Amino acid sequence: MTNTIPVLNNRIATFLSVVFHPLLITTYLFGLLFFIVPDLMGVSALELPAIGSLLLLIFLNTFIAPTIVIYYFYRLGIISTLHVDSLRERRLPYLACAIIYAIATYLFGWQLRPIGELAPQIAILLGSVTVSMILIAVISLSWKISAHATGMGGALGILTGMLIRFDEPLLLAPLLIVVLITGFLLSARLYLNAHTPAQIIAGVACGVTVSSATVYFLF
């Protein structure tokens, strides 16, 4: 029994780390906002299939594309594991992800004109995530900040900012759920010894600061 409990806890912590991977948090956040507050995201005029297609496009650009690049880094021996745990190995993958997110921001904001004109909020939020990615890449030159914490901090900042600025009560329940998930996820990262408490706190602070400023100044 004593051996089973640590193994079970390790599996749960790993499961949470995978399911709430930083690159997936972007899709989760957009899905939540599209279906709960479509008016604030500018997609209320779209039918459900169109919203689904838009969410799929975001998923392809913000998860599939970066994942493929990271996989090729692994195949080429640039990184030793797909988890990118080493500080030295984190720099190039995060820089590549930041570039991909910047391209996605440009795509949704300027190239896909119907989307950019109908829902400029998409490019604004993608730009916010891009800034966080750049900060992670820069900080990772000398220190291992938590990307999981930054992603969840970003989600918390956006939800809290929109709830306060637009007085939208529909966001309260999702915000509380995200707070709960954040607590479990960051505890899991600490349990796996993936980060120190300081790296977790710095990540949350980074995500909250960038996303809150985005909602306050650009929405």
Side-chain angles (χ1 to χ4, degrees):
M1 179 63 71
T2 55
N3 291 330
T4 303
I5 292 177
V7 171
L8 179 61
N9 289 340
N10 187 76
R11 288 178 178 175
I12 294 174
T14 301
F15 174 79
L16 289 172
S17 297
V18 172
V19 172
F20 295 102
H21 188 279
L23 295 177
L24 280 172
I25 293 173
T26 304
T27 300
Y28 294 154
L29 179 62
F30 274 105
L32 188 154
L33 294 174
F34 282 172
F35 290 105
I36 294 182
V37 285
D39 289 338
L40 296 182
M41 291 301 297
V43 297
S44 57
L46 299 179
E47 298 291 337
L48 184 60
I51 293 177
S53 298
L54 186 56
L55 192 59
L56 175 61
L57 189 58
I58 291 172
F59 174 73
L60 292 174
N61 279 271
T62 62
F63 180 74
I64 297 299
T67 299
I68 290 174
V69 171
I70 292 174
Y71 176 73
Y72 273 102
F73 283 164
Y74 173 70
R75 294 287 294 177
L76 292 172
I78 297 174
I79 57 176
S80 57
T81 69
L82 294 175
H83 298 291
V84 197
D85 292 325
S86 168
L87 174 61
R88 180 180 58 83
E89 294 181 353
R90 283 164 62 95
R91 300 163 185 171
L92 185 58
Y94 279 113
L95 177 60
C97 288
I99 293 173
I100 292 172
Y101 269 68
I103 294 172
T105 301
Y106 175 73
L107 175 68
F108 281 94
W110 287 272
Q111 286 301 304
L112 299 176
R113 291 192 179 276
I115 296 176
E117 294 173 358
L118 178 68
Q121 298 91 332
I122 295 176
I124 291 173
L125 290 188
L126 284 175
S128 173
V129 180
T130 301
V131 171
S132 293
M133 286 276 190
I134 293 173
L135 290 175
I136 292 174
V138 172
I139 295 172
S140 292
L141 293 174
S142 58
W143 197 57
K144 189 182 176 183
I145 189 172
S146 171
H148 282 83
T150 303
M152 295 307 295
L156 289 171
I158 288 171
L159 292 175
T160 302
M162 293 179 72
L163 173 64
I164 294 174
R165 181 165 186 183
F166 301 106
D167 192 23
E168 180 51 77
L170 290 176
L171 289 175
L172 180 58
L175 175 60
L176 295 177
I177 293 173
V178 172
V179 169
L180 185 63
I181 292 173
T182 300
F184 282 121
L185 175 61
L186 300 189
S187 297
R189 301 303 290 164
L190 290 172
Y191 180 84
L192 293 171
N193 293 318
H195 292 286
T196 65
Q199 293 165 350
I200 293 288
I201 293 171
V204 172
C206 177
V208 169
T209 300
V210 172
S211 59
S212 298
T214 299
V215 173
Y216 184 79
F217 291 107
L218 299 178
F219 256 66

